[in-house]
Amino acid sequence: MRPEVQAELSPFLQTVAASTEAVLLLDYDGTLAPFRTQRDQAFPYPGVALVLQEIVRDCRTRVVVVSGRDASDVLPFLNIHPRPEVWGIHGLQRMKTDGSMEMPSLDDRTLDALSDADRWLGHQQLRHSAEFKAGSIAVHWRGMSEKDAKDLRARVMLGWGPIAEQSGLDLLEFDGGVEVRASEADKGEAVRTFLSEISPAVPVAYLGDDTTDEAAFLAMEGRGISVLVRPTWRETAARFWLKPPDELLDFLGLWLKTCVEHSASRRNSAKTVHTMDKGVR
Ligand SMILES: [Mg+2]
């Protein structure tokens, strides 16, 4: 990791180590895992799942995934125990640690508009490039040539634009595609809800890569740290920028190391006090 970034992160990590609880809010695709054309092949960067497992076990840290994917899609990639909480579809779904799923019921207008968007894909013979989720449809063009991607983007914007406009659905571009979805779905809203449930004293970090993570970065302002994880820097509301996979692994490694060292020194000083007590008796 660049030394100046490490120096700036250090006070936050010390707070994490000294706290009785900490939270890591993590986007998945592009942040913990490299992009893959085949989305079911998007395994995390080597080492990431392992260090997260150790953080969960040794650092009194809650790991929470906040993804654009369906919530049940994410956990098999990470295989962390006990299972982390997952907010899916940009916060529209919430899968708790016991596996129970919370999902707001969608109104008829939203459902009608989503079936219109689906029908349009059918007419255009584009359903094969789409991902269907509860409350959302995404068209992906990752892996296509630049020209094909541009053409597909233009077509989808033209077809879905009016549907979104009339129904109040959100039409949002992300890295490698576009998505039409229920307007309640927003990572910023998810982060705000989550933060409202925990003590303001709990240190929290949010890591994400995409334009959809910007709302979450903004929601983190005044609370903990926000980190853009991306091979190249872009204009962002995040306070830090880390280059994956190396700097991401450095960051998670430092999280683990700082809290393990802190626990060890606490144990040692407890031992010293205990020995002194014995000496007095
Ligand atoms: Mg992402």
Side-chain angles (χ1 to χ4, degrees):
M1 188 184 293
R2 286 155 289 156
E4 68 278 14
V5 179
Q6 187 169 337
E8 265 192 79
L9 281 167
S10 176
F12 173 76
L13 293 174
Q14 291 297 339
T15 314
V16 169
S19 299
T20 49
E21 189 190 352
V23 176
L24 254 178
L25 298 168
L26 301 165
D27 168 54
Y28 185 72
D29 293 275
T31 301
L32 300 182
F35 283 121
R36 291 268 182 271
T37 310
Q38 284 176 297
R39 292 167 44 79
D40 57 353
Q41 295 298 309
F43 296 102
Y45 291 112
V48 163
L50 191 67
V51 70
L52 282 175
Q53 178 66 74
E54 289 183 47
I55 285 173
V56 167
R57 202 185 50 210
D58 299 339
C59 295
R60 304 169 307 282
T61 298
R62 275 170 78 185
V63 165
V64 178
V65 181
V66 187
S67 173
R69 285 185 189 248
D70 194 282
S72 51
D73 261 18
V74 180
L75 289 181
F77 286 124
L78 286 173
N79 199 25
I80 294 172
H81 303 281
R83 65 196 288 164
E85 180 173 331
V86 183
W87 292 66
I89 320 174
H90 311 276
L92 202 60
Q93 291 173 318
R94 181 177 193 177
M95 190 159 76
K96 299 271 187 72
T97 48
D98 63 3
S100 65
M101 188 86 92
E102 279 177 12
M103 172 121 200
S105 54
L106 301 167
D107 58 33
D108 288 347
R109 196 166 167 228
T110 299
L111 293 171
D112 287 348
L114 285 168
S115 39
D116 288 348
D118 178 20
R119 226 179 346 262
W120 181 86
L121 288 176
H123 289 316
Q124 300 284 322
Q125 304 193 327
L126 288 174
R127 291 192 97 232
H128 62 280
S129 57
E131 177 194 3
F132 297 91
K133 302 178 272 188
S136 148
I137 308 173
V139 167
H140 294 272
W141 49 71
R142 184 159 295 127
M144 288 184 185
S145 73
E146 205 173 314
K147 187 187 171 300
D148 288 351
K150 216 175 133 196
D151 290 350
L152 180 55
R153 178 190 174 279
R155 270 172 78 191
V156 175
M157 293 310 247
L158 207 62
W160 278 0
I163 297 172
E165 202 169 312
Q166 279 159 29
S167 61
L169 291 194
D170 286 337
L171 187 58
L172 279 156
E173 290 194 64
F174 56 91
D175 217 342
V178 65
E179 179 161 16
V180 68
R181 67 181 190 228
S183 56
E184 304 95 282
D186 169 64
K187 285 189 174 186
E189 207 43 54
V191 168
R192 268 187 294 277
T193 305
F194 184 83
L195 293 178
S196 73
E197 295 172 2
I198 59 171
S199 155
V202 175
V204 186
Y206 184 98
L207 277 64
D209 70 300
D210 211 334
T211 42
T212 55
D213 294 303
E214 289 295 328
F217 296 149
L218 287 170
M220 287 293 292
E221 268 173 21
R223 280 297 303 272
I225 60 164
S226 50
V227 184
L228 175 70
V229 180
R230 207 166 183 270
T232 50
W233 187 84
R234 67 163 154 76
E235 197 60 47
T236 178
R239 202 169 118 204
F240 294 94
W241 165 52
L242 297 176
K243 245 179 171 174
D246 290 354
E247 290 189 329
L248 168 72
L249 281 163
D250 290 348
F251 173 78
L252 296 174
L254 276 173
W255 186 295
L256 178 65
K257 183 169 170 263
T258 315
C259 82
V260 167
E261 281 174 0
H262 192 271
S263 305
S265 73
R266 220 169 12 200
R267 264 198 308 276
N268 279 341
S269 54
K271 220 182 280 171
T272 313
V273 170
H274 185 66
T275 318
M276 281 166 68
D277 277 357
K278 272 190 177 162
V280 171
R281 277 184 221 124

